[in-house]
Amino acid sequence: CDPYGLAGQSLSHKECIDWLATLECGWNLIYDGIEKRPEIEEQAPIFLQRQFYNATFHDASQFLSHISLLSTNLNHYPFLSMERVLVDDLSIVSNSNTTGRNSEAASTSGSGSVQTSTQKRRKVKGWVFVSTVRCSTYRPPTTRADLEEQDGSSQYKDKGLTYHDFHLAMNIDIESNREGCTALLL
């Protein structure tokens, strides 16, 4: 039985880099539990992860509910988490490139003259909820020797990425851009 079509192996570093290019910005490859720059890493990544930002706990839980239903339909289940974090500048926390948010307020000053884009922007500290989606596929030992091997090289030895992880990520990108989900995201 080879359910992932990879003869029991995970995708290589190069394959993961190629597939990462098909996803929206924001997805990161995680190596041995540590995020590293993919262009300099040669080992195969363990996780594919993206964080989404929500204004309220309710929005975050609704968003993760959408992702869990999508995962159920695809029969591929990522790690999902949610946490409340304090950010130093709320204006830089965004799930997409929204350039028009403050365009009306900054278009003219009281005297009618157009404000320049070099005007200092005030930082606003605040709380947001971070919804994390982390994809990985469990890779059980294939031989008795693999099962008995105790070299301690990595706590994530039994995990890796498959085509299913990238397929799920593509579907999450689509779902997160649907009207019902975009209202839940910052």
Side-chain angles (χ1 to χ4, degrees):
C1 177
D2 187 17
Y4 298 108
L6 296 168
Q9 300 299 312
S10 299
L11 291 172
S12 71
H13 169 77
K14 183 186 178 328
E15 290 171 313
C16 288
I17 295 297
D18 292 343
W19 279 98
L20 187 62
T22 66
L23 302 175
E24 287 187 2
C25 291
W27 288 99
N28 297 303
L29 297 173
I30 310 292
Y31 300 81
D32 246 352
I34 303 167
E35 186 176 339
K36 295 183 181 176
R37 294 203 143 265
E39 56 269 12
I40 61 171
E41 186 61 50
E42 289 304 320
Q43 79 181 72
I46 308 297
F47 302 108
L48 177 65
Q49 177 176 295
R50 183 169 177 191
Q51 294 181 324
F52 296 88
Y53 300 96
N54 312 92
T56 67
F57 182 82
H58 182 69
D59 289 349
S61 60
Q62 275 191 305
F63 176 74
L64 289 178
S65 180
H66 280 278
I67 301 305
S68 65
L69 290 171
L70 174 67
S71 301
T72 300
N73 286 341
L74 295 173
N75 196 28
H76 197 73
Y77 304 95
F79 168 80
L80 302 173
S81 70
M82 169 184 19
E83 65 181 325
R84 184 177 179 221
V85 296
L86 183 63
V87 294
D88 290 330
D89 190 359
L90 285 173
S91 66
I92 62 169
V93 177
S94 175
N95 292 298
S96 62
N97 296 333
T98 54
T99 56
R101 254 190 184 171
N102 298 322
S103 60
E104 288 180 33
S107 63
T108 61
S109 66
S111 63
S113 64
V114 176
Q115 292 182 357
T116 63
S117 61
T118 59
Q119 180 183 15
K120 286 189 177 182
R121 180 176 49 83
R122 183 178 161 186
K123 290 183 178 181
V124 178
K125 191 179 244 189
W127 292 96
V128 296
F129 289 86
V130 180
S131 302
T132 302
V133 178
R134 181 182 283 181
C135 302
S136 187
T137 301
Y138 172 68
R139 312 301 294 173
T142 56
T143 65
R144 186 173 208 67
D146 289 343
L147 185 61
E148 294 170 355
E149 189 177 302
Q150 300 276 334
D151 66 0
S153 62
S154 172
Q155 64 176 330
Y156 301 109
K157 191 171 186 171
D158 59 349
K159 294 193 178 290
L161 296 174
T162 64
Y163 298 117
H164 291 270
D165 296 305
F166 285 93
H167 182 252
L168 176 60
M170 286 179 205
N171 280 278
I172 290 170
D173 285 343
I174 292 167
E175 187 66 24
S176 66
N177 286 312
R178 290 189 193 273
E179 189 176 323
C181 278
T182 55
L184 302 172
L185 301 172
L186 287 176

